[in-house]
Amino acid sequence: MAVFHGGNLAAATQQFGVPIEEWVDLSTGINPHPYPIPDLEKDLWGRLPDQHLLQDLKEAAASYYGVDCANKVIPVSGTQTLLQILPHLFEKTKKVRIVGPTYKEHAYCWGLAGHDVKEVPLLSQAEAEGDIVIVVNPNNPTGEIYMPEDLLALAARQHAKGGSLIVDGAFMDCMPDIDLSQHVGCEGLMVLRSFGKFFGLAGIRLGFVLAAGSISQRLKDGIGPWAVNGPAMEIGRCAFRDDVWIEQTRVDLEDAQKRLDMLLQAGGLEVVGGTSLFRYCFHPNAGQVFEQLGKAGILTRPFADQPQHLRIGLPASEQGWSRLKKTLDKIHL
Amino acid sequence: MAVFHGGNLAAATQQFGVPIEEWVDLSTGINPHPYPIPDLEKDLWGRLPDQHLLQDLKEAAASYYGVDCANKVIPVSGTQTLLQILPHLFEKTKKVRIVGPTYKEHAYCWGLAGHDVKEVPLLSQAEAEGDIVIVVNPNNPTGEIYMPEDLLALAARQHAKGGSLIVDGAFMDCMPDIDLSQHVGCEGLMVLRSFGKFFGLAGIRLGFVLAAGSISQRLKDGIGPWAVNGPAMEIGRCAFRDDVWIEQTRVDLEDAQKRLDMLLQAGGLEVVGGTSLFRYCFHPNAGQVFEQLGKAGILTRPFADQPQHLRIGLPASEQGWSRLKKTLDKIHL
């Protein structure tokens, strides 16, 4: 069974009968105020993705991520594409341990490729059992965080025993304190970064893997040429260098998060974690909350294996905020 | 060693010192008159690629390729991305035989994944030895063609012995007579199609694999969700349904091909094959021709293993045509 995801308004419309254009979609963790699309030259669409532009994108990304060398930055067509190929670049005899509950595609893709995969609750257990340890940091959906020094020490121990640590930093952009991208180059460590979430451009399919050493070459070979579309390369290199937009967005997202927390808590949901792009909420009847919000055209993200929790993202407009507030007031949680 | 490709103006500039903007790039087989980019809604960039839109793209593609069911159409982020993942979806004990000389990424990607791979000169030899037979039809760069009835019979024989036939139809759009996409569903057959070449939009990264049966599900799982970026999905579905543009482009490309043949032959090159998007030329000193054209800012495609041949694509503008003509006149082949 393929993994269930947020953001699927087509499925939500089938379930609730709300017309597609009327949804307030809070089911993803994507910034609803995207980086503005710059002017795009005709050649970006027509020609094969250009090598100079690719190099410049890698340099802009290296600078944004704090990586000392553009060679350690490998652009991919969205992190998901990387998750599809990555498990094939390791021998199939590996024990893969994923700290969870977390983003389900990790376990799904490694399992599909034939590895021995388990989601385990503790990092220490993942380390004890895993040739490959996968941590999502901050975790999606719980928002749990691991400190860089702990993960760096873990990467070193993994490397010493011939293993690896993969850190999925899809939501790391708002949390400089836990960002260990600058340490890529330590053997045994690989960091995955997503462009589309913080920059609000999930549709362009842009992600990065930060890695050095032998796995880096295997990754480049495994991903191949022309992985990223031309427009995405141009948009990425502009966005990474727009310090003003980046700084303002961090501030705006933090404000929006506080506003969302107040609203959710006033509405009877307990915010127990998350990042500034989504909140992880507890409610004894979370399933009913999901249903009632859904009937009112507000889509949130339920989890089959966490039935008392919902993940709730940021509204895109004042109308969305106001509909969320009114609906929460009305449904008497 | 990664594969050498056409279209790399950055490398050409280093080799010949011609500024990037001055090149007449004839080194690829991409239509230089691209399908016009339609209006693109904001959500295509911002949101995760939409499932309704994906379904509509699949239906438009099925209709264009003559496939009876959209379910047999699997969109990918350019055919190259498919070549990277495909070899991992088969057991590593397979004998893969590729009819060549041909597009080198096939052998490279299957080899990288650990299969027993050989390029062989004859289809019969590929069949005799191969669990998996790969044919590029029409072939790139030679333009050699195989008739659909022969390939369909081969696919059936491959299936009967537990094998597969993969037909790379990247340049099939101009050749309805050899198109076997409509026969996808015959067990053992998989057809790869490229959007960017005929439609002149290589930068958007859009390709398709046409397949049915068990391999189709394995492909869908292997490729995963959100493989194609939002703008590419919208452009693709518009282009596939634009019958007027498609028909006119077939005529225009055929005219351009005839014009190019006359010009190349007058210039001393023997056109021995190709498609309407590129010509495959023989010259006893093809290496020198490549050099002299390169010094004059005209980039063609040489082949390390075919030193007496060049592949030459269509100029994008009258200025390009005229520079090619003048240069060929001047260099006295």
Side-chain angles (χ1 to χ4, degrees):
Chain A
M1 262 299 275
V3 177
F4 172 84
H5 288 288
N8 190 345
L9 291 185
T13 290
Q14 259 189 337
Q15 184 176 357
F16 292 105
V18 173
I20 252 188
E21 62 282 5
E22 287 182 19
W23 280 106
V24 173
D25 183 11
L26 310 180
S27 71
T28 74
I30 299 162
N31 181 355
H33 300 292
Y35 186 77
I37 306 294
D39 283 344
L40 298 170
E41 301 276 339
K42 222 179 88 188
D43 274 358
L44 293 168
W45 307 90
R47 290 181 54 85
L48 281 168
D50 179 82
Q51 296 304 306
H52 270 168
L53 177 55
L54 180 66
Q55 184 59 28
D56 198 49
L57 170 67
K58 286 161 69 174
E59 280 165 19
S63 161
Y64 174 77
Y65 291 131
V67 173
D68 62 1
C69 169
N71 245 338
K72 297 179 184 169
V73 176
I74 306 165
V76 292
S77 179
T79 321
Q80 183 64 38
T81 299
L82 180 75
L83 299 194
Q84 304 287 146
I85 197 82
L86 190 58
H88 296 292
L89 307 182
F90 291 86
E91 281 170 46
K92 296 302 157 66
T93 50
K94 297 293 180 193
K95 285 193 172 134
V96 180
R97 293 297 177 265
I98 302 160
V99 186
T102 190
Y103 185 61
K104 289 282 172 283
E105 289 282 353
H106 288 290
Y108 183 70
C109 291
W110 287 86
L112 208 59
H115 295 273
D116 166 1
V117 184
K118 227 190 275 175
E119 224 180 68
V120 297
L122 295 174
L123 190 57
S124 56
Q125 186 185 349
E127 178 182 1
E129 297 178 13
D131 301 310
I132 296 169
V133 171
I134 301 177
V135 184
V136 181
N137 194 35
N139 191 33
N140 171 15
T142 65
E144 194 168 352
I145 59 172
Y146 300 89
M147 294 317 290
E149 53 273 24
D150 297 335
L151 293 179
L152 288 171
L154 171 56
R157 293 194 299 273
Q158 283 294 107
H159 178 62
K161 71 177 191 191
S164 308
L165 171 65
I166 299 174
V167 179
D168 177 353
F171 290 97
M172 208 174 256
D173 299 58
C174 305
M175 298 193 167
D177 290 351
I178 63 160
D179 191 345
L180 40 51
S181 302
Q182 63 182 295
H183 298 287
V184 162
C186 303
E187 292 286 347
L189 177 66
M190 205 182 307
V191 179
L192 318 187
R193 300 295 301 252
S194 166
F195 177 84
K197 295 176 176 71
F198 178 74
F199 289 96
L201 292 170
I204 71 171
R205 310 314 296 137
L206 182 59
F208 297 87
V209 49
L210 312 177
S214 68
I215 182 62
S216 153
Q217 190 56 48
R218 252 168 36 237
L219 278 163
K220 286 172 192 165
D221 289 339
I223 288 158
W226 316 308
V228 176
N229 66 87
M233 295 203 301
E234 177 66 19
I235 294 166
R237 73 163 177 169
C238 292
F240 281 139
R241 291 197 172 108
D242 194 337
D243 296 334
V244 174
W245 188 92
I246 291 166
E247 206 37 64
Q248 188 60 49
T249 296
R250 286 206 177 111
V251 173
D252 291 349
L253 288 176
E254 209 170 309
D255 290 348
Q257 170 200 323
K258 286 178 191 152
R259 182 177 177 190
L260 183 60
D261 281 0
M262 291 208 304
L263 197 149
L264 294 171
Q265 272 154 350
L269 286 154
E270 187 184 351
V271 178
V272 293
T275 73
S276 60
L277 285 167
F278 61 81
R279 307 309 285 160
Y280 185 60
C281 305
F282 171 85
H283 190 278
N285 301 312
Q288 278 181 37
V289 178
F290 171 77
E291 287 284 328
Q292 292 192 52
L293 287 172
K295 282 178 190 154
I298 295 171
L299 189 63
T300 59
R301 174 73 160 90
F303 300 92
D305 58 348
Q306 300 152 71
Q308 298 193 311
H309 289 88
L310 291 178
R311 193 188 65 190
I312 301 182
L314 299 171
S317 65
E318 280 308 317
Q319 197 209 0
W321 284 100
S322 138
R323 271 181 63 191
L324 176 63
K325 184 175 178 337
K326 279 184 197 148
T327 309
L328 284 172
D329 285 351
K330 212 161 44 193
I331 63 179
H332 307 297
L333 302 179
Chain B
M1 262 301 272
V3 177
F4 172 85
H5 288 289
N8 191 346
L9 291 186
T13 289
Q14 260 188 336
Q15 184 176 356
F16 292 105
V18 173
I20 251 189
E21 62 281 6
E22 287 182 19
W23 280 105
V24 173
D25 182 12
L26 311 180
S27 71
T28 73
I30 299 162
N31 181 353
H33 299 292
Y35 185 76
I37 307 294
D39 283 343
L40 299 170
E41 301 275 339
K42 220 179 89 188
D43 274 358
L44 293 169
W45 306 90
R47 290 181 54 84
L48 281 167
D50 179 82
Q51 295 304 307
H52 271 167
L53 177 55
L54 180 66
Q55 183 60 28
D56 197 49
L57 170 67
K58 286 161 68 173
E59 280 164 19
S63 161
Y64 174 77
Y65 291 131
V67 174
D68 62 1
C69 169
N71 245 336
K72 297 179 184 169
V73 176
I74 306 165
V76 292
S77 180
T79 321
Q80 182 65 38
T81 300
L82 181 74
L83 299 194
Q84 303 287 145
I85 196 82
L86 190 57
H88 296 292
L89 307 183
F90 291 85
E91 282 170 44
K92 297 301 157 64
T93 50
K94 296 292 181 194
K95 284 193 174 135
V96 180
R97 294 297 177 265
I98 301 160
V99 186
T102 191
Y103 185 60
K104 289 283 172 278
E105 288 281 354
H106 288 290
Y108 183 70
C109 290
W110 287 86
L112 208 58
H115 294 273
D116 166 0
V117 184
K118 228 189 275 174
E119 225 181 65
V120 298
L122 295 174
L123 190 57
S124 55
Q125 187 185 349
E127 178 182 2
E129 296 178 13
D131 301 310
I132 295 168
V133 172
I134 300 177
V135 185
V136 181
N137 194 35
N139 190 35
N140 171 14
T142 64
E144 193 168 353
I145 59 173
Y146 301 89
M147 294 317 289
E149 54 273 23
D150 297 335
L151 293 179
L152 288 171
L154 171 57
R157 293 193 301 273
Q158 283 295 105
H159 179 61
K161 72 177 193 191
S164 307
L165 170 65
I166 298 174
V167 179
D168 177 353
F171 289 98
M172 207 174 256
D173 298 59
C174 304
M175 297 193 169
D177 291 352
I178 63 160
D179 191 345
L180 40 51
S181 302
Q182 62 181 297
H183 299 286
V184 162
C186 305
E187 291 288 347
L189 176 66
M190 205 181 306
V191 178
L192 318 186
R193 300 295 300 251
S194 165
F195 176 84
K197 295 177 177 72
F198 178 74
F199 290 96
L201 292 169
I204 71 171
R205 310 315 296 136
L206 181 59
F208 297 87
V209 49
L210 312 176
S214 68
I215 181 63
S216 151
Q217 190 54 50
R218 245 160 51 232
L219 279 163
K220 285 172 193 167
D221 288 340
I223 288 158
W226 316 307
V228 176
N229 65 87
M233 295 204 301
E234 178 66 19
I235 295 166
R237 72 163 178 169
C238 292
F240 281 139
R241 291 198 172 105
D242 194 336
D243 295 333
V244 174
W245 188 92
I246 290 166
E247 206 38 64
Q248 187 60 49
T249 295
R250 286 207 177 109
V251 173
D252 290 349
L253 288 175
E254 209 170 309
D255 290 348
Q257 170 201 320
K258 286 178 191 152
R259 181 177 178 189
L260 183 59
D261 281 359
M262 292 208 304
L263 196 150
L264 294 171
Q265 272 155 350
L269 285 154
E270 186 183 351
V271 179
V272 293
T275 73
S276 59
L277 284 167
F278 61 82
R279 308 309 286 161
Y280 184 59
C281 306
F282 171 85
H283 191 279
N285 300 314
Q288 278 181 35
V289 178
F290 171 77
E291 288 284 329
Q292 292 191 52
L293 287 172
K295 281 178 192 159
I298 295 171
L299 189 63
T300 59
R301 174 73 160 89
F303 300 92
D305 58 348
Q306 302 151 70
Q308 298 194 309
H309 290 87
L310 291 177
R311 194 188 65 189
I312 301 182
L314 299 170
S317 66
E318 280 308 317
Q319 198 208 358
W321 283 99
S322 138
R323 271 182 61 190
L324 176 62
K325 184 176 177 337
K326 278 186 197 145
T327 308
L328 283 172
D329 286 351
K330 210 162 43 191
I331 63 179
H332 306 298
L333 301 180

